[in-house]
Amino acid sequence: MNNLRHIPAIDELLQHARIQTLLQIYRRDFVVDILRQSVEQKRSMLLKQIEEQSKQNITEDIIDLVETRIKNAEHGTLQRVINGTGVVLHTNMGRAPLGTRAMNYLNEMATGYNNLELDLQKGERGSRYWHVENLLQQITGAEAGLVVNNNAAAVLLALTTLAKGREVIVSRGQLVEIGGAFRIPDVMKQSAASLIEVGTTNKTYIKDYEEAITEQTALLFSAHTSNYKIVGFSEEVKIDKLVELGQEKKIPVMLDLGSGILADLGNWGLKEEPTVQQSVKSGADIVTFSGDKLLGGPQAGIIVGKKEYIEAMKKHQLTRALRVDKLAIAALEGTLLEYLTGNPQREIPVIHMLTRAEESLCQQAEELTQTIKNDLQHYTQIKRVTTKKLYDMVGGGAYPTYELPGYGVEIEFENISLEQITNRIRLMNPALLTRKQEDKMQISVRTLLEGDEKTIVELIKKAFQAE
Ligand SMILES: *Cc1c(COP(=O)(O)O)cnc(C)c1O
């Protein structure tokens, strides 16, 4: 067991030509650090090894490890994931992928200077909020609009501005927690507004709100219960009834929509969620929603509604802390422009995925099935590959009970467990996330993006070869 004695000293390794090349590119302390880690890794490998290895071989192995580690370090931890789950919007997977127009616009604004807070007409200081406000007015029909960091921030800002130290009436059926620990009662506490709960979990009537109104009432609040649905014996007050009551009592009505839909998806079976336009039309004074859910844009919290309330929010100190950056404004403007002048159904990935025709999904799944068969069938780990009809999900807290009819590829393995193969492809770059049906793997095609099919085949192949 002389192997350990054949490990060169760090100083000696640093003189090696391959390391010298690396030192011309990377910082010395970074290379030394990685060199130490690689020596340690090789040392533990040698401890388990019986046959003798030459010093030269050990040196080369260590440098191979160094190069791999440097390559990995250059990637960072955020990496591409191929979404084969059929869940269109998932917070864990970064929610909405951006469309081309948003991406180009974002790229242009990110890499240069811009007029973020410049009024070029007047040649003086301008407002960053001006850029998207006009688009929001045109698309939603609202008097005014404001964009902040995310929808949680939008709700917090609206409550703090309009109801701090006063009362907000909410139905018990809407005191929900939304993914990522956004709890309406907690946000309410942060805003220093008192929460007045009315009704019961399954039933709330307009008279419950009416009876709770006092001198102290600042807002009637309605939240879209995005991620769950009470079916059966339940009743919630419709937004127009609440607006009627608010107008009669001169109390503003706020609606937290969560997933703000701008495109009417009724023709695709997605009828139950009110669009932002419908919500504005219903007369709600303030409507809040996310930029990266069904809208299909970047993370942002969008507030639209009556001018007097939006103006008060713009002036509030908190807005400065919640302010949205130029990258999000650029991506949001690009996305909104697609709604106004372009073709959201074709160009906004989320809308495109949700409106795909079943035949087209079926055809895509059949093609992927065929490709996998052609390229992988000779591997002993493949037992059967078939096209399957399955159900996809909208996700992002929208349409919690709606199952979108979709298609995918189902792969049955042998000589390798489903868990093993699933883990391997999850640890690759890009990672591949799939679904599981009993002991079979399913890859839904709805959420695949251009080029993903080719990568999927390569990833599975690599996972087999890693045996
Ligand atoms: C998703 C959601 C939120 C939180 O929005 P973020 O953009 O994630 O901050 C708030 N309210 C409702 C109803 C939601 O669905």
Side-chain angles (χ1 to χ4, degrees):
M1 280 301 279
N2 288 324
N3 277 344
L4 293 186
R5 270 189 274 149
H6 289 163
I7 298 177
I10 298 287
D11 280 339
E12 197 180 336
L13 284 164
L14 281 168
Q15 298 310 317
H16 195 284
R18 281 168 70 194
I19 297 287
Q20 283 293 316
T21 311
L22 291 173
L23 282 171
Q24 280 169 14
I25 309 169
Y26 304 100
R27 287 165 41 159
R28 188 181 170 87
D29 55 352
F30 171 70
V31 176
V32 172
D33 219 33
I34 286 193
L35 197 49
R36 288 218 166 88
Q37 293 164 17
S38 307
V39 167
E40 269 321 299
Q41 189 180 347
K42 184 63 191 171
R43 187 190 305 278
S44 31
M45 283 155 82
L46 288 173
L47 282 172
K48 291 181 220 142
Q49 191 175 310
I50 302 159
E51 74 263 33
E52 181 130 355
Q53 208 182 344
S54 72
K55 180 167 177 178
Q56 193 191 342
N57 271 341
I58 291 177
T59 306
E60 298 298 326
D61 282 358
I62 290 172
I63 297 172
D64 284 348
L65 290 173
V66 168
E67 284 173 352
T68 309
R69 277 176 183 264
I70 287 182
K71 213 169 110 212
N72 288 341
E74 282 192 311
H75 272 305
T77 52
L78 200 56
Q79 63 168 65
R80 262 269 284 147
V81 165
I82 295 176
N83 180 2
T85 66
V87 181
V88 176
L89 290 165
H90 204 300
T91 304
N92 300 3
M93 286 190 264
R95 292 196 185 160
L98 289 180
T100 313
R101 192 193 295 232
M103 201 47 239
N104 291 343
Y105 202 50
L106 169 62
N107 190 35
E108 193 181 334
M109 295 312 140
T111 50
Y113 295 106
N114 54 61
N115 64 335
L116 182 66
E117 291 192 356
L118 271 183
D119 184 335
L120 294 173
Q121 292 286 332
K122 294 191 187 140
E124 56 191 45
R125 184 163 202 265
S127 160
R128 68 176 60 214
Y129 300 112
W130 175 78
H131 298 283
V132 282
E133 182 164 22
N134 193 257
L135 286 172
L136 288 171
Q137 289 164 331
Q138 289 182 73
I139 296 169
T140 69
E143 283 178 16
L146 173 62
V147 180
V148 289
N149 186 50
N150 56 15
N151 189 33
V155 175
L156 177 66
L157 177 64
L159 289 173
T160 308
T161 309
L162 305 176
K164 187 175 173 182
R166 298 175 65 206
E167 294 173 355
V168 178
I169 304 179
V170 191
S171 158
R172 284 199 174 86
Q174 297 175 348
L175 292 175
V176 293
E177 170 170 328
I178 290 137
F182 175 87
R183 285 184 171 179
I184 302 279
D186 292 344
V187 181
M188 210 68 89
K189 224 176 273 163
Q190 281 297 320
S191 69
S194 316
L195 170 68
I196 306 296
E197 301 173 25
V198 298
T200 59
T201 307
N202 64 334
K203 289 213 170 195
T204 302
Y205 301 98
I206 192 73
K207 71 169 180 3
D208 296 323
Y209 288 90
E210 195 166 359
E211 285 164 5
I213 292 175
T214 70
E215 296 270 273
Q216 282 305 305
T217 308
L219 264 184
L220 303 179
F221 183 95
S222 178
H224 187 66
T225 53
S226 328
N227 52 2
Y228 83 111
K229 191 170 168 178
I230 297 179
V231 281
F233 191 65
S234 72
E235 180 135 354
E236 279 292 351
V237 173
K238 294 244 162 32
I239 190 69
D240 28 349
K241 278 267 174 300
L242 206 57
V243 166
E244 221 172 82
L245 178 65
Q247 281 171 355
E248 186 195 320
K249 306 282 183 187
K250 303 211 164 11
I251 299 168
V253 172
M254 170 168 167
L255 173 59
D256 174 19
L257 268 184
S259 208
I261 314 173
L262 293 179
D264 191 344
L265 303 179
N267 286 345
W268 289 273
L270 300 165
K271 284 197 188 72
E272 301 149 49
E273 307 253 330
T275 62
V276 175
Q277 292 88 330
Q278 284 163 355
S279 305
V280 168
K281 208 167 175 192
S282 74
D285 299 274
I286 303 116
V287 179
T288 64
F289 51 98
S290 293
D292 55 356
K293 289 185 181 169
L294 281 170
L295 192 148
Q299 178 186 305
I302 303 171
I303 313 170
V304 296
K306 303 275 158 66
K307 200 173 171 74
E308 57 170 309
Y309 304 118
I310 302 281
E311 288 305 318
M313 288 180 224
K314 279 186 194 165
K315 291 195 193 98
H316 199 283
Q317 271 303 309
L318 190 55
T319 306
R320 177 63 181 79
L322 306 177
R323 92 176 176 189
V324 61
D325 80 314
K326 65 178 176 194
L327 304 182
I329 291 178
L332 185 60
E333 201 167 1
T335 309
L336 291 174
L337 279 168
E338 197 65 58
Y339 280 99
L340 194 67
T341 65
N343 186 340
Q345 202 198 320
R346 198 181 60 211
E347 299 295 339
I348 293 179
V350 168
I351 305 298
H352 177 70
M353 286 176 192
L354 290 172
T355 56
R356 294 270 311 265
E358 265 185 72
E359 309 87 73
S360 144
L361 290 167
C362 178
Q363 194 189 337
Q364 191 185 348
E366 277 168 357
E367 279 167 20
L368 181 57
T369 306
Q370 204 48 52
T371 311
I372 293 178
K373 272 189 184 164
N374 292 347
D375 291 11
L376 300 175
Q377 204 149 46
H378 62 282
Y379 283 89
T380 56
Q381 294 97 327
I382 294 277
K383 185 170 177 193
R384 197 192 334 262
V385 187
T386 46
T387 300
K388 272 272 169 197
K389 193 171 180 353
L390 38 74
Y391 288 101
D392 297 323
M393 299 278 290
V394 178
Y399 301 92
T401 54
Y402 190 72
E403 294 179 316
L404 287 162
Y407 282 88
V409 179
E410 186 171 270
I411 312 176
E412 212 175 330
F413 297 95
E414 56 190 352
N415 303 319
I416 187 168
S417 74
L418 181 62
E419 196 190 347
Q420 235 177 342
I421 183 87
T422 309
N423 286 343
R424 275 187 200 165
I425 56 176
R426 199 187 61 240
L427 291 172
M428 287 180 178
N429 191 358
L432 169 59
L433 295 192
T434 58
R435 282 191 352 200
K436 165 182 155 167
Q437 179 70 40
E438 286 152 26
D439 56 346
K440 297 169 206 114
M441 174 184 286
Q442 288 186 335
I443 302 169
S444 170
V445 295
R446 185 189 297 274
T447 42
L448 299 183
L449 296 167
E450 210 175 311
D452 281 352
E453 279 97 338
K454 207 167 146 255
T455 316
I456 288 173
V457 175
E458 278 158 21
L459 290 176
I460 299 176
K461 203 183 282 181
K462 224 161 76 186
F464 287 164
Q465 287 163 351
E467 288 278 86

